[in-house]
Amino acid sequence: MSGAAGYDNPAFLGEAKDSVVHIDQGSKGSRHREKLSYSWEDLNVFAPVIQGCFKKSQVAEKHILRNVTGICRPGELLAVMGASGAGKTTLLNCLNFRCDPGLKIKGKLFINGRRVTPELLTSRSAYVQQEDIFVGTITVKEQLVFQANLRMDKHLSRTERMQRVEDVMVEVNNKL
């Protein structure tokens, strides 16, 4: 297995030969943000499986995800569906650089057609895992404020954070 956390493609490793896109975050107070398409190509995930027991045990690989390709476009809803154990959570975790370090992962991830790094992805998006629980007694706005304070760049002022919360609420209301 090569690379950090088992990732052996340059997009996951952040090697110098990557052509990583640096997306302009816009000027302070800017409401215009570039729309992003997130795509993946030939994503393969292998898990180690121990066969046999004691001294005769051997480690083999189980192919969990095989040549998975897809795209998430702005303004569209993408449903990842399948039977229990089909690899839905593994796919989402790999797309968000959160896979188990024991997994071997091959494939390419892109934002707007250019290789993506974990830093770029987390600076522009958030991933809520299955186990995350939202506080059911607070409003949507209170939840967004909490997440903004928790996840947004610490160099942003409170005014800038609250403006982003308002922007998200307006955008969501316009799409409902």
Side-chain angles (χ1 to χ4, degrees):
M1 185 181 327
S2 64
Y7 297 99
D8 61 358
N9 92 42
F12 286 107
L13 290 175
E15 294 175 354
K17 63 184 175 185
D18 281 351
S19 62
V20 176
V21 63
H22 297 284
I23 299 171
D24 180 22
Q25 302 254 349
S27 59
K28 289 187 177 186
S30 170
R31 289 183 179 220
H32 176 71
R33 300 203 189 293
E34 181 180 359
K35 294 186 178 193
L36 305 178
S37 291
Y38 188 32
S39 60
W40 53 99
E41 181 179 305
D42 296 324
L43 190 63
N44 287 274
V45 178
F46 303 87
V49 177
I50 298 173
Q51 296 176 334
C53 56
F54 304 112
K55 292 181 182 179
K56 294 184 179 185
S57 65
Q58 295 179 342
V59 177
E61 287 184 337
K62 181 176 182 182
H63 205 163
I64 298 176
L65 297 177
R66 188 181 310 265
N67 301 324
V68 179
T69 298
I71 187 166
C72 295
R73 292 185 180 94
E76 293 183 3
L77 175 68
L78 175 67
V80 179
M81 298 170 36
S84 178
K88 301 175 297 293
T89 300
T90 299
L91 172 63
L92 293 174
N93 284 337
C94 288
L95 293 177
N96 288 282
F97 298 96
R98 292 183 182 227
C99 272
D100 183 296
L103 296 177
K104 180 178 173 186
I105 300 159
K106 295 182 178 183
K108 299 174 189 156
L109 303 179
F110 304 95
I111 288 182
N112 291 352
R114 300 188 114 179
R115 293 276 176 102
V116 66
T117 64
E119 295 78 20
L120 175 63
L121 186 64
T122 57
S123 74
R124 298 296 301 225
S125 66
Y127 174 52
V128 180
Q129 295 185 5
Q130 289 180 7
E131 297 82 26
D132 282 359
I133 299 174
F134 293 101
V135 180
T137 57
I138 65 175
T139 66
V140 171
K141 183 173 184 176
E142 289 169 331
Q143 182 65 42
L144 289 172
V145 169
F146 175 74
Q147 292 297 322
N149 288 327
L150 185 66
R151 296 176 185 262
M152 291 180 77
D153 187 350
K154 300 301 175 200
H155 297 99
L156 294 174
S157 69
R158 175 162 174 74
T159 303
E160 290 170 316
R161 290 171 196 241
M162 295 309 103
Q163 184 58 56
R164 181 65 183 136
V165 167
E166 292 299 324
D167 291 348
V168 168
M169 291 191 66
V170 167
E171 188 174 332
V172 169
N173 279 333
N174 287 337
K175 294 188 183 220
L176 294 179

